Amino acid sequence: MKDILAKRLKKCRKQTGLPQIKVAIYCDITEKAYQNYELGVHEPKVSILMRIAQFYGVSIDYLVGLTDDPAPYPRAQEQKDLP
C-alpha cells in the first residue's frame, strides 16, 4: 500500500501544481511528514489521510489503491430528529 499511496499522493499534488508545504499546512502536518508520505517512508494516520483526500477531492480508496476511480463518495446525509 505504501508504494501506491506514495505515487498517488505525488500524482495528486502534481496535478494541483502546489508545493508540498501547501498541502502540509492544509492538513496540519509538517512538510517533512508529508514528504515522507510521498516517499513511502511512512504512512499517515487515517485522520490525516482523510484530510489529504479531502484536500485533493479524491476518495481514500483511490489514494490507497482500492480503486482507480479518484471520485470521492457522496456524503451521507445526517438523519434529522424524528418526532
Side-chain angles (χ1 to χ4, degrees), residues 1-79:
M1 180 183 92
K2 268 199 250 186
D3 292 339
I4 293 172
L5 176 62
K7 288 177 185 175
R8 293 203 172 166
L9 288 175
K10 192 169 191 172
K11 179 180 178 180
C12 286
R13 187 176 57 78
K14 295 290 184 183
Q15 288 176 339
T16 64
L18 295 173
Q20 292 175 335
I21 187 68
K22 294 285 187 182
V23 181
I25 289 170
Y26 176 85
C27 297
D28 197 28
I29 57 175
T30 65
E31 183 179 11
K32 184 66 176 172
Y34 186 80
Q35 288 171 350
N36 285 331
Y37 303 150
E38 277 196 10
L39 292 171
V41 175
H42 297 292
E43 292 180 359
K45 294 179 184 179
V46 172
S47 60
I48 295 170
L49 193 57
M50 287 173 59
R51 285 184 253 159
I52 293 170
Q54 185 176 25
F55 178 79
Y56 289 131
V58 299
S59 69
I60 292 175
D61 285 356
Y62 171 74
L63 290 177
V64 299
L66 294 176
T67 182
D68 290 330
D69 181 7
Y73 300 111
R75 293 189 76 149
Q77 293 182 354
E78 294 182 32
Q79 289 184 333

